[in-house]
Amino acid sequence: MSDDTKTNEPAEENFLRKIVAEDQRTGKHAVPVTRFPPEPNGFLHIGHATTICLNFGIARDFGGRCHLRFDDTNPVKEEQRYIDGIKQDIRWLGFDWGEHEYHASDYFDQLYDWAGLLIKHGYAYVDDQTLEQMRATRGTVTSPGSASPFRDRPAEESLDLFAKMKAGDFPDGAKVLRAKIDMANSNMLLRDPVMYRILHAEHPRTGSDWCIYPMYDFAHGESDWIEGVTHSLCSLEFEAHRPLYEWFVQKIDELGGAPEGRTHHPRQIEFGRFNLSGTMMSKRNLLALVQEGKVAGWDDPRMPTLVAMRRRGVTPASLRNFVNIVGMSRRHKTIEIALFENCVREDLNKVSQRRAVVIDPIKVVITNYPDDQVEQMTATNNPENEADGTREVPFSKELYIQREDFMEDAPRKFFRLKLGGEVRLRYGYWIKCEEVIKDDAGEIVELRCTYDPQTRGGENPPPDEEGNVRKVKGTIHWVSAAHALPIEVRLYDRLFATDNPEAGKKKRDWRENLNPESLVTTTALAEPALAEAQLGQPLQFERVGYFTLDADSDKPAGKLIFNRTVTLKDSWAKQQKK
RNA sequence: UGGCCCAUGGUGUAAUUGGCAACACAGCUGUUUUUGGAUCAGCCAUUCCAGGUUCAAGUCCUGGUGGGCCAACCA
């Protein structure tokens, strides 16, 4: 198994790490502090893995620390199960926040005090306008907004109203607290943004203590500041929020409200997120997939969520390697799914034990093999790692091979079994197909073959009298019919048939782009050793793909289910397409 | 009819800060192989366009073009 706790792979340089390194060199921040700030309103996906590796990676490599902070300022969307899931995913990825678990809700009292400070000094006011009125007076990107009639309300009055908002005197939506900045600013976010809204909702942590909740913009920078975060890394869509982030910190600082011992303001720096070709990343749409039953749940192996990938058999090491290779920039990007698959294969190839599994079997009878004989053949567990040793595989007169490994009329380039042709059974014997038996429908039901006793283990036979060595082009896998273990295999493919399912005209719904063959469930026949498969153990079904045991399995009852993590590269299939 | 950001192969990221465009994936050749896997080797770019500065520009300047973000009491 790959060492999933080892997270010290060399990290690629990127512009963010350069900034951190420079701040450390100049002594501005000898100990960098970063944070991963998820909102607990869904499960983490592969995009979050980038942010996690980035923030925790910086803390690890620069002798700093990384906080886990739940951005829980909107109780109507957030749930405890998401909090638990997120923590599990981060640990699985191989990172540890130690003591540093925080919640924006830990700071509700401090935030409330700061809001009062801003009101007192004329930097915030309670607005009685409705949502519609506020929208109408905000202006547009090309025209300035106009002031609220409540904008110049005396500070004392706002203070009093704000206290009443907190006390629960008003229903949802009746009033908001707004920052008094600039209704004509070209940045719409600076046109007196809302700081607090009334929400009579149960919060997963603070229960019903509060009925007013701070908005993201008034909570995030302040939380960073309280925690002593030095580099607040976020994605590009928050770029326009940066002036606001800085405005709040600056004003509170000017008013003497700085947290104890803070000599620097946290710095927000943005980076570009990525999309994976053939998948969707927006939480909203992922939630829709789950709610509409398009997938079995957040952990359906076709989902780009971390829970799903874990279940599918993707290793944390391959995920870390992937985000490292993808890198960081200030651009929106679409990564080819092939790069991700390559990273998965690269790790799995090193760590997966090999097993023989026949999907879509066809029976092979070896006519010259003794009826009741069973031989134990020795198979290598992992040619990439000798320490994984070998195992015994039973061989007998009746076997199964994959239907696609036989062709009656084979083209010249077909190296597998054909009528009159010879092939190597991996770790078995060389066999030659003498006869094809079909049913009334013309379907092949059995192949009658002979074997060469001199090829035991799949070895080359000795040279003939003239010194010529017989050769065989192909090697195929097999299972002994009498010993075969029936299993279920779930063959997963990309969820969407198009590269960018969310793209194009708005009318074009991503639902139309779902790949109807994203899940094919079938039965297969496996070698006996597969009965010992463990949950979380990566396996390679030789010549087929990488698989792992699914949690739906019931081993005592003999019910074994395997998920295909990713196929093997198949240059034969590629050549056939041409 | 605004402000801000971005532009290097099919994809993504680099380029000693003005000095021979590098790495990975994909693709294509070939080598090797008891997995048509893996391995190994080779091929694959006038840096969006037009000007300018300079001995020298992916990098600096000017002007275009293309893309993205911003008008939730979401984050």
Side-chain angles (χ1 to χ4, degrees):
Chain A
M1 291 232 359
S2 61
D3 186 350
D4 290 343
T5 59
K6 195 189 280 176
T7 60
N8 49 358
E9 300 96 350
E12 286 290 323
E13 262 326 304
N14 60 52
F15 78 101
L16 296 161
R17 295 174 70 98
K18 278 180 184 159
I19 292 170
V20 173
E22 179 65 6
D23 285 345
Q24 191 165 59
R25 194 186 64 78
T26 62
K28 183 179 178 189
H29 297 299
V31 178
V33 180
T34 57
R35 104 266 94 112
F36 174 61
E39 182 189 15
N41 66 345
F43 285 92
L44 263 25
H45 56 62
I46 186 168
H48 294 107
T50 313
T51 316
I52 293 169
C53 292
L54 173 70
N55 283 295
F56 283 95
I58 285 172
R60 176 196 62 209
D61 298 338
F62 293 90
R65 59 178 200 268
C66 179
H67 296 182
L68 167 61
R69 181 174 71 237
F70 290 99
D71 229 331
D72 55 351
T73 56
N74 186 3
V76 305
K77 283 183 163 181
E78 295 151 9
E79 298 175 30
Q80 185 60 41
R81 67 183 177 118
Y82 294 134
I83 294 181
D84 300 336
I86 287 167
K87 286 157 81 166
Q88 197 181 354
D89 286 343
I90 299 171
R91 286 206 193 90
W92 174 73
L93 252 190
F95 296 100
D96 184 9
W97 53 91
E99 314 279 275
H100 301 286
E101 179 185 335
Y102 305 103
H103 306 257
S105 55
D106 297 339
Y107 314 131
F108 280 174
D109 283 313
Q110 172 68 269
L111 259 10
Y112 180 78
D113 288 347
W114 276 338
L117 184 68
L118 291 170
I119 297 170
K120 203 169 123 195
H121 290 84
Y123 288 122
Y125 61 97
V126 171
D127 195 338
D128 299 358
Q129 288 187 113
T130 63
L131 204 150
E132 290 71 29
Q133 289 170 321
M134 282 182 56
R135 188 173 292 153
T137 52
R138 190 150 26 224
T140 69
V141 289
T142 54
S143 62
S146 53
S148 162
F150 303 97
R151 196 170 199 261
D152 292 317
R153 166 131 76 188
E156 287 310 314
E157 191 182 323
S158 280
L159 232 25
D160 179 54
L161 255 14
F162 188 48
K164 286 182 171 144
M165 281 167 64
K166 185 195 178 205
D169 290 1
F170 308 113
D172 287 5
K175 290 179 168 39
V176 292
L177 181 71
R178 287 230 255 176
K180 192 190 285 187
I181 306 180
D182 175 10
M183 286 307 290
N185 201 289
S186 57
N187 181 346
M188 302 284 297
L189 289 163
L190 261 28
R191 322 248 260 227
D192 289 12
V194 172
M195 293 168 62
Y196 270 92
R197 77 286 213 187
I198 301 170
L199 240 36
H200 291 271
E202 188 78 4
H203 187 283
R205 284 181 60 81
T206 61
S208 51
D209 292 354
W210 294 84
C211 63
I212 57 170
Y213 290 92
M215 299 288 289
Y216 165 85
D217 286 303
F218 185 59
H220 203 94
E222 286 50 55
S223 302
D224 285 341
W225 201 20
I226 291 167
E227 293 176 18
V229 168
T230 56
H231 303 267
S232 182
L233 313 179
C234 62
S235 48
L236 233 32
E237 67 263 33
F238 290 101
E239 197 171 19
H241 294 249
R242 192 182 343 123
L244 187 51
Y245 179 108
E246 289 167 352
W247 188 89
F248 281 124
V249 171
Q250 182 62 33
K251 282 291 173 278
I252 293 169
D253 200 6
E254 283 171 11
L255 266 20
E260 280 269 320
R262 292 281 168 265
T263 52
H264 290 279
H265 292 179
R267 186 197 345 177
Q268 173 182 313
I269 312 169
E270 310 85 18
F271 59 85
R273 301 205 295 199
F274 68 83
N275 280 305
L276 262 189
S277 66
T279 104
M280 279 189 319
M281 223 75 110
S282 83
K283 256 188 198 173
R284 209 181 102 230
N285 289 344
L286 293 181
L287 182 64
L289 280 171
V290 174
Q291 289 180 337
E292 294 170 24
K294 302 279 195 276
V295 295
W298 285 100
D299 66 343
D300 185 302
R302 291 166 292 182
M303 292 282 276
T305 53
L306 298 182
V307 250
M309 293 196 165
R310 186 187 321 157
R311 182 167 182 182
R312 182 159 172 165
V314 173
T315 58
S318 57
L319 231 22
R320 277 184 247 124
N321 185 228
F322 171 71
V323 302
N324 196 33
I325 287 172
V326 166
M328 283 292 161
S329 66
R330 284 178 66 83
R331 307 167 60 174
H332 301 276
K333 44 194 161 260
T334 301
I335 312 292
E336 289 175 347
I337 192 76
L339 176 62
F340 175 68
E341 291 180 346
N342 177 269
C343 291
V344 174
R345 288 193 193 102
E346 191 176 270
D347 187 46
L348 255 19
N349 178 48
K350 288 183 296 194
V351 301
S352 298
Q353 295 221 355
R354 317 288 138 125
R355 297 290 183 266
V357 173
V358 171
I359 298 175
D360 193 12
I362 174 170
K363 185 178 255 187
V364 167
V365 176
I366 302 169
T367 53
N368 60 338
Y369 194 84
D371 280 355
D372 297 319
Q373 181 170 312
V374 175
E375 285 182 84
Q376 294 298 327
M377 313 303 266
T378 302
T380 304
N381 279 330
N382 181 1
E384 303 292 320
N385 179 15
E386 244 175 77
D388 279 340
T390 60
R391 68 185 185 284
E392 302 291 280
V393 182
F395 186 93
S396 64
K397 186 184 181 80
E398 294 197 354
L399 313 170
Y400 287 107
I401 65 167
Q402 302 218 141
R403 190 164 289 272
E404 62 172 27
D405 285 340
F406 176 80
M407 272 183 102
E408 205 171 352
D409 287 312
R412 181 187 299 284
K413 289 276 186 70
F414 185 81
F415 301 149
R416 283 108 101 142
L417 189 61
K418 44 188 135 184
L419 185 57
E422 193 170 31
V423 78
R424 174 182 4 247
L425 295 179
R426 189 152 158 91
Y427 306 124
Y429 285 101
W430 290 22
I431 59 167
K432 189 172 178 183
C433 181
E434 313 282 1
E435 190 186 351
V436 179
I437 296 176
K438 297 177 183 171
D439 63 13
D440 297 341
E443 181 90 346
I444 298 172
V445 293
E446 185 180 311
L447 300 174
R448 300 187 75 81
C449 303
T450 53
Y451 84 114
D452 179 351
Q454 296 200 287
T455 56
R456 203 192 128 99
E459 300 289 346
N460 288 358
D464 62 16
E465 306 83 50
E466 284 135 47
N468 297 319
V469 180
R470 204 163 89 245
K471 285 197 174 144
V472 84
K473 262 291 207 197
T475 300
I476 63 174
H477 66 284
W478 51 275
V479 294
S480 166
H483 306 86
L485 205 62
I487 62 170
E488 179 183 321
V489 289
R490 296 177 179 172
L491 307 176
Y492 294 104
D493 200 353
R494 38 158 45 190
L495 230 199
F496 292 94
T498 55
D499 277 350
N500 189 353
E502 290 171 301
K505 302 142 200 159
K506 280 171 191 153
K507 291 163 207 154
R508 181 86 153 285
D509 192 74
W510 51 262
R511 276 160 261 251
E512 292 171 22
N513 298 324
L514 284 162
N515 174 11
E517 289 174 13
S518 60
L519 169 59
V520 175
T521 302
T522 184
T523 56
L525 295 169
E527 64 166 284
L530 215 57
E532 269 100 68
Q534 301 295 317
L535 233 38
Q537 179 188 21
L539 295 166
Q540 184 194 106
F541 293 178
E542 286 208 337
R543 307 206 308 127
V544 176
Y546 293 98
F547 287 76
T548 198
L549 189 68
D550 187 80
D552 286 347
S553 301
D554 184 354
K555 282 216 279 181
K559 184 179 161 202
L560 295 170
I561 301 168
F562 290 87
N563 294 324
R564 182 172 71 193
T565 312
V566 65
T567 60
L568 246 32
K569 273 193 192 170
D570 191 346
S571 54
W572 166 241
K574 196 184 283 179
Q575 196 180 92
Q576 273 184 306
K577 266 187 222 163
K578 286 194 265 181

